[in-house]
Amino acid sequence: MLLEREGPLGTLLAQVERAAAGHGGTVLVDGEAGVGKTSLLREFAQEVDGNCRVLWGWCEALFTPRPLGPLQDMAHLLDPRVAALLEETAAPERLFPALLSALQHTKGTTVLIFEDMHWADNATLDLVRYLGRRVSLLRTMLVLSMRRDEMSADHPLTHVLGDLPSASVRRLTLEPLSSQAVTVLAEQAGRPADELYRITEGNPFFVTELLSSSEAEPGRVPDSIRDAVWARLSRLTPGEREVLEVMSIMPGSVEPWLIRSLLGHETEALVDRCVGRGLLRRDDQGALTFRHELAREATLDRLAPSLQRSLHAKVEAVLSELPAAQASALLWRRVHHAGGADNGERVLELAPRAARQAARLGAHREAASHLATALRYVSEAPSAQAAQLWEDWAYEAGLSQFVYDEIIEARHRAIAIWRELGRIDKVGANLRWLSRLHWRRGEGQGAEDHADRAVREVETLPPGPELAMAYSTRSQLHMLHYRFDEAIDWGSRAIALADQLGEVETRVHALNNVGTSLLFADRPGGRERLEESLALALEHGFHDHASRAYTNFAEGAVVSKDFALAERLLAEGIAYCARHDLDSAAQYLLGRQAQLRTEQGRFREAETIAQGVMNLERLPMVMHLPALTELGRARVRLGGPGGAALLEQALQEGLSTGEAQRIIPVRLALAEAAWLAEEPGAGHEQLTALAEMDLDNFRPWDIGELAVWWQRCGMAGSLSVPAARIPLPRALELRGDPLAASAEWSRLGLPYESALALMQVRGSDAGAALGRAVTTLEGLEARPAAVLARKLAQRIGAAGQLPKQRRGPYTVARQHPLGLTRQEQQVLTMIAQGLGNKEAARRLSRSPRTIEHQVSAVLGKFSAANRMEILLRLRGEPWLLPPADALQARES
């Protein structure tokens, strides 16, 4: 009997009805241990309609959780193909879409219950993120139970939950029972209720455990429950106790064959008695679990450490005798029990294999955990194995954790051992990774020092793959710091060696570095190399390299004002990252899209896009810097609050990286902000700091902008910059022809820059030029620049030549971030509402053929292969819908 759970049960039943109607969702059931989460879910499973299938899976408190544990529990009941992919440890990019397809094509409604998500492995967390983003489009309900008291603020699960679309997530927090409910339970059991509520604080498990014991013992809750469980154990037969003791060292479910192998066939009768007493529970497949995890923990706590080690060894021995394929599939359990047995030799044998298996599934956190278990016995390993363990752990931890001090220390340990063994190739590889680690921490000099050392080490060896990638890493660092000549030189060496060795991945990496350097330096050949890098990355499935190619290529197109190319690359790149769940790369590209919108004078759109990125608080600093910079620039130009402060934040973060690309644009934006506010001192400070940098390494468009602001702000002296390096619109203004500069900016599609150039006109044409500037600036909602232009007109007595000043908020036609027409935006709304072409044609009073063409146009502008990809984009970028429909899309 469930007490005080009518509300949560009703919510679960209502959510499953929505799922049956095609509007799936995720329900989080949280609460402290023993609060009754599983009892509620079992009651829910009994109440659902017969057309709904409910599948259960569990996460387990192993030393290292098994990858995709909940999915493995339910796979055979869910779909044969999914089960087959699991058995072959298929990678997530194959497994997850197969699961999605199975859910899409199943009849009726499916409820997936993942129990105890606070113990979830990394692969399961990735699966929840993957399904949680798509479940609203399915007849599927995802239920996640978790212990609130085991969820810290930085728990990995909290990060995953924060990434799920809020409109499709419901949270049910189960509270302890009231004193009245505890009294009811006590009266039903024929037991006194005195002190029961105070001792248990209303925890249902504590209450029921104490009521089921011979007497309720007073004391603190943990002691009371332990004593209650131990009291029940003491009344069992030795055989029953042995069953429970053996099971207690195996978190989660235990297969009947394993119990028989450990304790013999006569154990079945003992197991039946334990089930009958309510100590154990048997699922539909016959697997056994403790009725509650707290009971297992209390039982385990009763065992002496020596007995625990003995039992772990016995279980591992049984598992090792299984057929090879089955034993391989259970590697994660074998590592757990080998570690519990304190058998270093077995751990060193099994843990690296389990780590490789987890990594293939994308469970890098679990791979690192397996390797960390092996490192407990590293002193027992041969030198080469020890070095490889440190190296492998550093790699896996670098993908999944942020313990950089420990990771760097591990790399140094590996280097020391490899050097003793004379493995200079391994020394070079680890130095290269140390360079990357220091770069991630913003330690530019450390990154460069280690990259240089990596090259010097491996250059003593015959040319090989490590030397090729070391050259490319060196090229990348030079490119990031705008040392383009050096980047091209090192990258060319890497390409030549990669081609000689047939190393495609290194070629892709190096082509990106060289192409970006050529493009930023405005030299020929950059676009062609970036195109090849991108094409090869896509062809070979190098997801990370492809996203990097899209990023650098798109940024180069924006900077060089090739907006048509930038639009295509950004649309394709964002769609690609969304398709492959490359979240950080997608947000970085969205920052570049905001930069493009700022350049185009579409400041409201830039602000909306950039703010959407900045709302993701856990995004790494480098990945949010483009969005932060553009949010500050857009706010400054719109006259919104906090624009300069945002730019100051971006400058401080950029300075910590030491990279010119993070510093130059921000200082230029701050100089513009000071000029708009008529604060010459602040502008001079920024321009002076820029002039002290190595101007020879500035991109042409950056040096041109610096020279123009130097002139506009009346800086003393002149910049020694060859005129040939300055792009045409900047050069025209510097030569004293701002009218021609304005025309060139208009031709390139930068209306704001065109208006600022008009504000530099002097003499008899100044009044008319200022009038045109004000018209443009007010149309762009660029209030500070418009106000300054009116001030300049007043100062020269030309106020009468300006358009009449508007009153109240400006009314401007808003453009769509992807360039959709008004009719295409209406069709997009129909797509977001899940309507087919015929229904959309009826609602919009258009012919089906017209709707078909407009849907094709929308798909093209989204770079989407189908409607599902559009819906996925809208989940992460709700601003792509017309404002009146954005809320509806989030609620659907």
Side-chain angles (χ1 to χ4, degrees):
M1 174 182 178
L2 289 181
L3 294 178
E4 301 182 335
R5 297 295 184 255
E6 296 84 356
L9 181 60
T11 299
L12 287 167
L13 292 172
Q15 184 61 46
V16 83
E17 289 181 4
R18 283 180 51 81
H23 303 290
T26 302
V27 179
L28 314 177
V29 181
D30 72 358
E32 64 187 20
V35 80
K37 300 181 290 295
T38 299
S39 297
L40 170 67
L41 294 176
R42 290 190 181 278
E43 182 72 15
F44 161 70
Q46 294 178 3
E47 292 280 343
V48 296
D49 185 88
N51 292 325
C52 176
R53 60 173 181 166
V54 181
L55 304 178
W56 295 72
W58 288 265
C59 303
E60 300 160 350
L62 297 165
F63 294 143
T64 298
R66 57 173 175 155
L68 298 173
L71 185 59
Q72 295 196 44
D73 287 338
M74 63 179 67
H76 287 283
L77 298 175
L78 179 62
D79 183 79
R81 173 164 169 73
V82 172
L85 288 171
L86 271 175
E87 289 177 0
E88 66 183 65
T89 64
E93 53 262 36
R94 292 178 59 207
L95 176 62
F96 291 1
L99 173 59
L100 182 65
S101 177
L103 293 172
Q104 284 176 315
H105 295 96
T106 191
K107 294 181 179 179
T109 308
T110 302
V111 177
L112 306 179
I113 297 179
F114 288 12
E115 284 251 50
D116 295 326
M117 282 294 296
H118 46 277
W119 290 321
D121 64 284
N122 200 52
T124 297
L125 294 175
D126 287 343
L127 175 59
V128 167
R129 182 186 285 109
Y130 181 90
L131 285 181
R133 291 176 172 181
R134 296 158 173 82
V135 71
S136 62
L137 310 175
L138 305 170
R139 293 191 302 277
T140 299
M141 177 177 171
L142 181 61
V143 181
L144 313 174
S145 76
M146 63 206 74
R147 289 186 185 177
R148 182 195 317 163
D149 49 359
E150 295 198 25
M151 295 279 292
S152 61
D154 59 350
H155 192 286
L157 180 57
T158 64
H159 301 171
V160 173
L161 298 180
D163 290 339
L164 300 184
S166 58
S168 63
V169 177
R170 294 294 303 273
R171 181 182 290 273
L172 299 179
T173 300
L174 300 188
E175 300 296 340
L177 300 175
S178 66
S179 60
Q180 293 83 356
V182 172
T183 300
V184 169
L185 291 174
E187 290 175 351
Q188 288 176 345
R191 302 284 295 278
D194 299 340
E195 297 294 305
L196 186 58
Y197 182 76
R198 184 186 66 80
I199 293 171
T200 65
E201 295 184 351
N203 183 288
F205 174 70
F206 297 167
V207 172
T208 55
E209 286 300 315
L210 289 174
L211 288 176
S212 63
S213 64
S214 59
E215 58 181 21
E217 300 181 24
R220 296 176 62 83
V221 169
D223 294 337
S224 299
I225 299 307
R226 182 198 62 191
D227 292 342
V229 173
W230 285 14
R232 297 193 70 184
L233 290 173
S234 67
R235 295 193 299 274
L236 301 176
T237 66
E240 291 169 343
R241 278 199 302 275
E242 185 179 15
V243 168
L244 295 175
E245 288 171 354
V246 170
M247 283 195 55
S248 71
I249 67 165
M250 295 181 281
S253 59
V254 181
E255 300 87 343
W257 63 263
L258 182 54
I259 290 292
R260 288 194 298 270
S261 298
L262 292 167
L263 298 174
H265 289 279
E266 67 278 5
T267 305
E268 293 185 5
L270 298 173
V271 168
D272 289 341
R273 289 207 293 270
C274 290
V275 172
R277 290 176 181 272
L279 296 167
L280 298 179
R281 178 185 292 116
R282 185 181 279 115
D283 67 15
D284 294 339
Q285 304 300 306
L288 295 163
T289 58
F290 274 82
R291 187 165 62 86
H292 199 286
E293 174 62 19
L294 291 176
R296 185 194 70 83
E297 293 173 358
T299 304
L300 181 63
D301 192 43
R302 191 171 182 265
L303 305 183
S306 59
L307 179 56
Q308 291 188 36
R309 289 194 295 271
S310 175
L311 291 173
H312 277 296
K314 190 174 182 180
V315 174
E316 201 283 315
V318 169
L319 295 176
S320 68
E321 294 172 359
L322 294 171
Q326 192 174 1
S328 177
L330 296 175
L331 268 175
W332 52 275
R333 289 172 70 172
R334 296 174 64 189
V335 173
H336 171 76
H337 292 298
D342 198 23
N343 187 336
E345 182 179 357
R346 293 294 278 171
V347 170
L348 289 171
E349 174 194 350
L350 298 172
R353 291 166 54 193
R356 289 192 293 271
Q357 191 178 82
R360 283 196 298 270
L361 289 168
H364 296 289
R365 186 180 300 277
E366 282 59 56
S369 181
H370 283 306
L371 292 165
T373 300
L375 285 172
R376 293 183 356 218
Y377 304 96
V378 69
S379 62
E380 302 177 22
S383 295
Q385 184 182 12
Q388 194 64 53
L389 284 173
W390 287 116
E391 181 178 316
D392 291 346
W393 177 83
Y395 175 77
E396 296 294 343
L399 293 177
S400 58
Q401 301 176 24
F402 298 99
V403 288
Y404 283 109
D405 287 341
E406 291 90 337
I407 295 171
I408 289 173
E409 174 62 23
R411 290 287 180 186
H412 281 293
R413 286 177 179 268
I415 287 172
I417 300 173
W418 287 129
R419 195 177 293 282
E420 288 181 1
L421 295 174
R423 291 292 305 275
I424 302 303
D425 57 328
K426 288 286 194 177
V427 171
N430 280 278
L431 285 170
R432 177 167 52 80
W433 278 107
L434 280 172
S435 172
R436 188 69 172 168
L437 290 167
H438 284 287
W439 176 78
R440 288 177 181 173
R441 297 208 306 186
E443 298 165 356
Q445 190 58 53
E448 296 200 49
D449 290 344
H450 284 93
D452 286 338
R453 288 182 57 196
V455 171
R456 289 197 299 270
E457 294 281 358
V458 294
E459 276 186 329
T460 65
L461 302 174
E466 285 302 334
L467 180 60
M469 188 56 84
Y471 285 169
S472 190
T473 300
R474 202 72 199 84
S475 171
Q476 182 181 11
L477 286 172
H478 284 305
M479 179 269 290
L480 290 169
H481 287 273
Y482 285 4
R483 296 188 292 265
F484 299 129
D485 289 337
E486 293 92 331
I488 293 167
D489 179 51
W490 285 101
S492 298
R493 295 191 204 179
I495 292 170
L497 184 53
D499 289 348
Q500 179 183 337
L501 299 170
E503 288 288 325
V504 177
E505 186 173 5
T506 302
R507 179 176 177 84
V508 169
H509 190 269
L511 280 170
N512 190 323
N513 302 328
V514 174
T516 302
S517 298
L518 291 170
L519 194 64
F520 283 176
D522 198 23
R523 302 178 193 174
R527 176 168 177 166
E528 290 77 10
R529 285 169 175 80
L530 282 167
E531 286 175 341
E532 182 181 353
S533 176
L534 177 58
L536 285 172
L538 294 174
E539 176 186 349
H540 291 275
F542 299 145
H543 296 167
D544 183 50
H545 291 306
S547 68
R548 182 169 170 261
Y550 275 123
T551 296
N552 289 349
F553 202 175
E555 182 185 0
V558 173
V559 169
S560 59
K561 320 308 176 192
D562 189 345
F563 292 165
L565 176 62
E567 290 280 11
R568 177 176 67 80
L569 291 169
L570 287 168
E572 290 180 6
I574 293 168
Y576 181 88
C577 291
R579 193 177 301 128
H580 293 90
D581 284 343
L582 301 173
D583 292 348
S584 293
Q587 301 306 318
Y588 192 94
L589 280 165
L590 284 168
R592 293 303 179 197
Q593 188 178 60
Q595 180 184 358
L596 173 60
R597 296 295 175 253
T598 302
E599 296 284 79
Q600 293 170 322
R602 296 158 66 173
F603 304 131
R604 290 294 180 191
E605 294 169 33
E607 180 184 35
T608 300
I609 295 170
Q611 185 63 66
V613 175
M614 293 306 299
N615 286 341
L616 302 175
E617 297 179 357
R618 296 185 303 276
L619 200 64
M621 184 187 72
V622 169
M623 306 309 282
H624 79 213
L625 265 176
L628 177 61
T629 301
E630 295 313 313
L631 183 59
R633 278 216 302 166
R635 290 268 177 88
V636 164
R637 292 183 176 183
L638 289 166
L646 289 167
L647 289 173
E648 289 287 354
Q649 178 187 343
L651 178 60
Q652 294 308 310
E653 293 184 3
L655 288 170
S656 72
T657 71
E659 295 177 16
Q661 64 171 319
R662 319 289 178 197
I663 300 169
I664 296 172
V666 184
R667 287 201 183 277
L668 289 170
L670 283 167
E672 177 188 333
W675 179 75
L676 291 171
E678 296 189 280
E679 297 175 356
H684 291 181
E685 178 183 350
Q686 298 299 332
L687 296 172
T688 300
L690 285 169
E692 292 172 352
M693 298 175 67
D694 187 353
L695 300 183
D696 290 338
N697 287 331
F698 275 42
R699 297 178 298 191
W701 285 95
D702 291 334
I703 196 67
E705 188 173 356
L706 171 59
V708 162
W709 281 114
W710 191 273
Q711 178 173 286
R712 290 175 181 174
C713 293
M715 296 290 290
S718 60
L719 292 172
S720 56
V721 180
R725 290 193 62 204
I726 298 177
L728 179 59
R730 299 295 188 193
L732 289 169
E733 181 176 333
L734 291 171
R735 293 202 295 262
D737 194 352
L739 282 172
S742 174
E744 181 64 15
W745 285 124
S746 296
R747 185 187 68 80
L748 291 172
L750 287 86
Y752 182 78
E753 294 292 350
S754 176
L756 292 193
L758 288 172
M759 293 173 63
Q760 314 310 314
V761 175
R762 300 293 181 263
S764 59
D765 294 330
L770 287 170
R772 289 167 54 197
V774 167
T775 298
T776 298
L777 293 168
E778 291 184 347
L780 298 174
E781 295 187 83
R783 295 178 178 84
V787 169
L788 180 58
R790 288 186 178 275
K791 288 181 180 179
L792 294 176
Q794 288 179 339
R795 291 168 188 169
I796 65 173
Q801 299 184 53
L802 302 186
K804 185 177 181 181
Q805 191 162 6
R806 301 182 183 184
R807 301 294 181 186
Y810 299 120
T811 57
V812 297
R814 294 287 302 279
Q815 292 180 293
H816 189 272
L818 298 184
L820 269 63
T821 66
R822 181 180 62 82
Q823 290 185 332
E824 289 169 352
Q825 292 180 52
Q826 292 173 334
V827 168
L828 176 62
T829 300
M830 299 293 102
I831 293 174
Q833 293 172 353
L835 301 181
N837 288 359
K838 291 183 179 179
E839 179 62 18
R842 187 186 64 80
R843 291 201 184 185
L844 298 175
S845 300
R846 299 175 198 162
S847 72
R849 180 62 62 87
T850 298
I851 293 295
E852 182 179 339
H853 288 312
Q854 290 170 343
V855 168
S856 296
V858 172
L859 288 169
K861 291 180 179 180
F862 270 79
S863 291
N866 50 48
R867 289 169 176 253
M868 172 72 84
E869 291 187 5
I870 288 180
L871 293 173
L872 291 176
R873 286 283 301 276
L874 293 177
R875 293 287 183 264
E877 303 168 58
W879 56 82
L880 294 177
L881 274 176
D885 302 305
L887 179 60
Q888 183 177 359
R890 289 193 293 269
E891 292 176 347
S892 62

Short mmCIF file of all heavy atoms in Angstrom, two decimals, residues 75 97 114 187 201 357 427 560 589 650 708 712 753 763 785 804:
data_model
loop_
_atom_site.label_atom_id
_atom_site.label_comp_id
_atom_site.label_asym_id
_atom_site.label_seq_id
_atom_site.Cartn_x
_atom_site.Cartn_y
_atom_site.Cartn_z
N ALA A 75 17.75 -4.81 -23.02
CA ALA A 75 17.98 -4.86 -24.47
C ALA A 75 17.24 -6.01 -25.15
O ALA A 75 16.64 -5.84 -26.21
CB ALA A 75 19.48 -4.96 -24.75
N PRO A 97 21.57 5.51 -32.49
CA PRO A 97 20.56 5.64 -33.55
C PRO A 97 19.72 4.37 -33.72
O PRO A 97 18.54 4.44 -34.05
CB PRO A 97 21.39 5.95 -34.79
CG PRO A 97 22.63 6.58 -34.27
CD PRO A 97 22.91 5.86 -32.99
N PHE A 114 15.12 3.83 -15.90
CA PHE A 114 16.54 3.70 -15.53
C PHE A 114 16.64 3.99 -14.03
O PHE A 114 16.53 5.13 -13.60
CB PHE A 114 17.40 4.70 -16.30
CG PHE A 114 17.59 4.40 -17.76
CD1 PHE A 114 16.83 3.45 -18.41
CD2 PHE A 114 18.55 5.08 -18.48
CE1 PHE A 114 17.02 3.18 -19.75
CE2 PHE A 114 18.76 4.81 -19.83
CZ PHE A 114 17.98 3.86 -20.46
N GLU A 187 0.10 1.15 12.86
CA GLU A 187 -1.15 0.53 13.32
C GLU A 187 -1.49 -0.68 12.46
O GLU A 187 -1.97 -1.69 12.99
CB GLU A 187 -2.27 1.57 13.27
CG GLU A 187 -2.12 2.66 14.32
CD GLU A 187 -3.16 3.75 14.18
OE1 GLU A 187 -3.90 3.73 13.16
OE2 GLU A 187 -3.25 4.61 15.06
N GLU A 201 12.32 9.54 10.75
CA GLU A 201 12.08 10.80 10.03
C GLU A 201 11.22 10.60 8.80
O GLU A 201 11.33 11.32 7.81
CB GLU A 201 13.40 11.48 9.66
CG GLU A 201 14.19 11.91 10.89
CD GLU A 201 15.46 12.66 10.53
OE1 GLU A 201 15.81 12.69 9.34
OE2 GLU A 201 16.09 13.22 11.43
N GLN A 357 37.31 -1.60 -23.92
CA GLN A 357 35.93 -1.93 -24.25
C GLN A 357 35.00 -0.75 -23.93
O GLN A 357 34.13 -0.40 -24.74
CB GLN A 357 35.51 -3.17 -23.45
CG GLN A 357 34.20 -3.80 -23.88
CD GLN A 357 33.92 -5.04 -23.06
OE1 GLN A 357 33.41 -4.95 -21.94
NE2 GLN A 357 34.26 -6.20 -23.60
N VAL A 427 58.02 9.10 -25.62
CA VAL A 427 58.33 10.36 -24.94
C VAL A 427 57.77 11.53 -25.74
O VAL A 427 57.12 12.44 -25.21
CB VAL A 427 59.85 10.51 -24.75
CG1 VAL A 427 60.19 11.92 -24.24
CG2 VAL A 427 60.37 9.46 -23.77
N SER A 560 37.02 37.76 -43.66
CA SER A 560 37.33 38.30 -44.99
C SER A 560 36.09 38.83 -45.71
O SER A 560 36.16 39.18 -46.88
CB SER A 560 38.01 37.23 -45.85
OG SER A 560 37.17 36.09 -45.97
N LEU A 589 30.50 27.44 -32.90
CA LEU A 589 30.05 27.88 -34.23
C LEU A 589 28.89 28.88 -34.11
O LEU A 589 28.79 29.82 -34.91
CB LEU A 589 29.62 26.67 -35.05
CG LEU A 589 30.76 25.88 -35.70
CD1 LEU A 589 30.27 24.53 -36.18
CD2 LEU A 589 31.37 26.66 -36.86
N ALA A 650 35.43 39.48 -21.54
CA ALA A 650 36.02 38.76 -22.66
C ALA A 650 37.51 39.06 -22.78
O ALA A 650 38.32 38.17 -23.12
CB ALA A 650 35.31 39.12 -23.96
N VAL A 708 42.29 52.47 -38.63
CA VAL A 708 41.15 53.38 -38.74
C VAL A 708 40.76 53.94 -37.37
O VAL A 708 40.52 55.15 -37.22
CB VAL A 708 39.97 52.67 -39.42
CG1 VAL A 708 38.67 53.42 -39.16
CG2 VAL A 708 40.22 52.57 -40.91
N ARG A 712 40.51 57.71 -36.10
CA ARG A 712 39.26 58.28 -35.58
C ARG A 712 39.40 58.81 -34.16
O ARG A 712 38.77 59.80 -33.79
CB ARG A 712 38.17 57.21 -35.61
CG ARG A 712 37.69 56.82 -36.99
CD ARG A 712 36.70 55.67 -36.92
NE ARG A 712 36.22 55.25 -38.25
CZ ARG A 712 35.44 54.21 -38.46
NH1 ARG A 712 35.04 53.45 -37.44
NH2 ARG A 712 35.05 53.91 -39.69
N GLU A 753 29.25 49.59 -40.64
CA GLU A 753 30.55 50.15 -40.99
C GLU A 753 30.39 51.25 -42.04
O GLU A 753 31.11 52.26 -42.01
CB GLU A 753 31.47 49.05 -41.53
CG GLU A 753 31.85 48.00 -40.49
CD GLU A 753 32.75 48.55 -39.40
OE1 GLU A 753 33.23 49.69 -39.53
OE2 GLU A 753 32.97 47.84 -38.41
N GLY A 763 33.77 68.81 -44.22
CA GLY A 763 33.55 69.82 -45.24
C GLY A 763 32.09 69.96 -45.63
O GLY A 763 31.18 69.61 -44.87
N ALA A 785 25.56 55.12 -31.73
CA ALA A 785 26.17 55.74 -32.91
C ALA A 785 25.24 56.78 -33.52
O ALA A 785 25.70 57.84 -33.99
CB ALA A 785 26.51 54.66 -33.94
N LYS A 804 14.00 63.51 -39.04
CA LYS A 804 13.33 63.82 -37.79
C LYS A 804 13.58 62.70 -36.78
O LYS A 804 13.49 61.52 -37.11
CB LYS A 804 11.83 64.00 -38.03
CG LYS A 804 11.07 64.45 -36.79
CD LYS A 804 9.61 64.69 -37.11
CE LYS A 804 8.87 65.15 -35.87
NZ LYS A 804 7.42 65.37 -36.16
#
